[in-house]
Amino acid sequence: MAKLIVIGASVASTFVKNPEWIIRGITRDPSKPSAQALVAQGIEIVKADLGDTDSLIAAFKGANAIFAVTDFWTHIDPANNAKAEQAGKTINEYAYDLEVRQGMNIADAAAATSTLQTLEKFVYSALSNAKKWSKGKYTWVYHFDSKAAVVEYVKEKYSQLDAKMSTLQVGEYATNWKKMPILGPQKQPDGSFLLVKPCDGDAPVPFVVTEKDTGSFVQALIQSPPGVNLLGYGSLIGWAEYMRLWTSILKVPGSFRQVPVEEYLEKSPSLLARELHEGYSYQAEFGWDGGDPNVVHPNDLDIAIPTTSIEEYIKGEDWSSIF
C-alpha cells in the first residue's frame, strides 16, 4: 500500500514517479499556476498556511512522512520594515521571530495526536546554531539560528516527534549567483574573470545543486533510522578550487581573491551586511555545520545518495549572462 508524504515542490520530482508514495503539497493558494502545474503531475495540493496551525494539522492528516521547510529570507521584505520598527526590533530579528514561529507551528501540527497516529518520519530543513557553536562570538547569523531554534523546540517539547525526526542541513546553493550576480565571477576589462569572497579560498564549502539533489537527501533520510543530522552537499571544496574548476571547464582566464568583509559588503544595507558579515565569518571559522560532532555527510549513510558535483553543475549551467 502506498504511503503519503507531505513535501514541497523542490523535492516532489524525486517522489512523483515512485509508486510507493502518494504526494501531497501545501500552498496558501491552490489556484496559482505553480500549484496547478503540480496537480498536473498527479500531486495532491491542499490549502494551508505556515501561520495557521489548524490548517497544517488538516494538511498533515494521514501523512506517513513530512519534509518541512521554512524561509528566513522571504521575511526580509521592505513591507515588514514598519512592523519590525513597531515591534522595536531590527528587520533581522523580526524575520527570525517569524521563521521560528512558522517552524513551531509546523512542529505543533506534526506533534498533534491526529498526525502522530500515522507519522513515521519527520524531516526538518535546519541549519547549525551559530550562536551556540561559536560560543556566543557570532550572534547575528539569524538565518541559521532561526532554524536551529525550531529543532531545539521539538527536542524540548515533543519527545514523540523528536523520536521520528531527522534534520537536513542544505549547503551553499550553487545557483545563488543567479539571484545575486555579484556572488558569481565578474568579467574584468581585460576579458578575464575574478571571483571575490570575504573568506579563505581554501576553507571547505558544502556546495549543493538544490533542485536536483534535495529530494535525494530527503529520500535517504526517510529510508534511514530517525535521529540523523545530515549535511547535504555534492562537493565540499573551497572557493579557490571552485574558481579553478570554473575557468578550466569554461576555458577562460580567471582567479579568486579574498577581500576584507567590509569591502565585500560595502554596498549592502547595514543590517543585511552585518548578517552576511557574521555568516561568512562563522562559516570560515567554524564550518557550515559549526563543528557539530553529530553531523554526518552523504557518504556516511548506508544508503547511496546520488548527488551533483560542482563540476557537473558548471558544465550544465547557462553562464551567458556573465559572459
Side-chain angles (χ1 to χ4, degrees):
M1 181 177 178
K3 295 185 176 183
L4 174 63
I5 182 170
V6 180
I7 54 177
S10 64
V11 300
S13 61
T14 302
F15 294 87
V16 72
K17 296 180 181 179
N18 188 336
E20 295 180 1
W21 290 100
I22 298 170
I23 305 171
R24 178 184 295 160
I26 63 174
T27 178
R28 288 183 295 178
D29 182 7
S31 66
K32 64 184 181 180
S34 58
Q36 288 303 305
L38 294 176
V39 171
Q41 297 179 50
I43 297 172
E44 178 191 4
I45 296 296
V46 299
K47 185 176 182 178
D49 192 319
L50 297 185
D52 180 355
T53 304
D54 288 339
S55 73
L56 293 171
I57 291 175
F60 293 165
K61 184 175 178 58
N64 301 107
I66 297 170
F67 173 52
V69 183
T70 56
D71 187 356
F72 172 89
W73 297 106
T74 60
H75 305 306
I76 300 291
D77 186 326
N80 285 331
N81 287 343
K83 296 177 183 178
E85 185 175 355
Q86 186 176 10
K89 298 183 177 182
T90 65
I91 187 63
N92 308 63
E93 294 169 318
Y94 189 74
Y96 171 93
D97 288 345
L98 285 177
E99 185 177 23
V100 171
R101 182 66 266 170
Q102 290 182 339
M104 291 168 67
N105 290 343
I106 291 171
D108 293 344
T113 301
S114 59
T115 307
L116 288 176
Q117 287 176 348
T118 57
L119 188 66
E120 298 171 15
K121 298 291 176 63
F122 178 63
V123 179
Y124 195 80
S125 180
L127 287 170
S128 62
N129 189 327
K131 184 183 295 185
K132 171 185 175 180
W133 294 112
S134 70
K135 293 182 170 55
K137 183 174 182 177
Y138 298 112
T139 61
W140 261 69
V141 194
Y142 288 111
H143 62 294
F144 270 53
D145 290 355
S146 51
K147 294 175 177 62
V150 176
V151 174
E152 289 304 311
Y153 176 75
V154 172
K155 291 182 176 298
E156 292 174 4
K157 188 172 182 179
Y158 296 121
S159 59
Q160 285 184 283
L161 182 61
D162 181 35
K164 303 172 186 287
M165 181 172 70
S166 287
T167 51
L168 171 61
Q169 296 191 38
V170 178
E172 173 83 14
Y173 287 22
T175 55
N176 274 344
W177 67 273
K178 289 185 171 183
K179 292 184 178 180
M180 295 182 65
I182 192 66
L183 297 178
Q186 303 296 302
K187 193 169 187 177
Q188 304 301 298
D190 65 358
S192 66
F193 290 84
L194 178 64
L195 179 66
V196 298
K197 295 289 177 181
C199 52
D200 182 350
D202 294 325
V205 178
F207 290 99
V208 61
V209 183
T210 54
E211 61 272 22
K212 291 186 177 181
D213 294 349
T214 301
S216 298
F217 298 135
V218 174
Q219 183 170 255
L221 289 174
I222 289 175
Q223 293 173 345
S224 301
V228 178
N229 185 359
L230 175 66
L231 177 60
Y233 64 88
S235 293
L236 188 63
I237 59 173
W239 284 108
E241 175 64 8
Y242 171 98
M243 195 57 183
R244 188 193 68 77
L245 291 169
W246 193 86
T247 56
S248 174
I249 292 169
L250 299 180
K251 300 186 181 344
V252 294
S255 60
F256 168 85
R257 187 173 75 206
Q258 181 179 356
V259 297
V261 175
E262 293 76 14
E263 177 184 336
Y264 185 73
L265 300 172
E266 62 184 358
K267 295 182 181 179
S268 300
S270 59
L271 295 177
L272 178 60
R274 182 173 178 184
E275 177 95 23
L276 295 176
H277 182 167
E278 293 209 9
Y280 274 117
S281 299
Y282 166 70
Q283 293 158 26
E285 185 172 350
F286 295 95
W288 193 270
D289 58 13
D292 183 348
N294 294 317
V295 169
V296 300
H297 293 215
N299 289 338
D300 294 328
L301 297 183
D302 293 332
I303 298 170
I305 305 176
T307 60
T308 306
S309 70
I310 205 66
E311 294 97 326
E312 293 171 317
Y313 168 71
I314 294 171
K315 289 176 182 178
E317 184 57 272
D318 177 9
W319 299 96
S320 58
S321 61
I322 287 182
F323 285 88

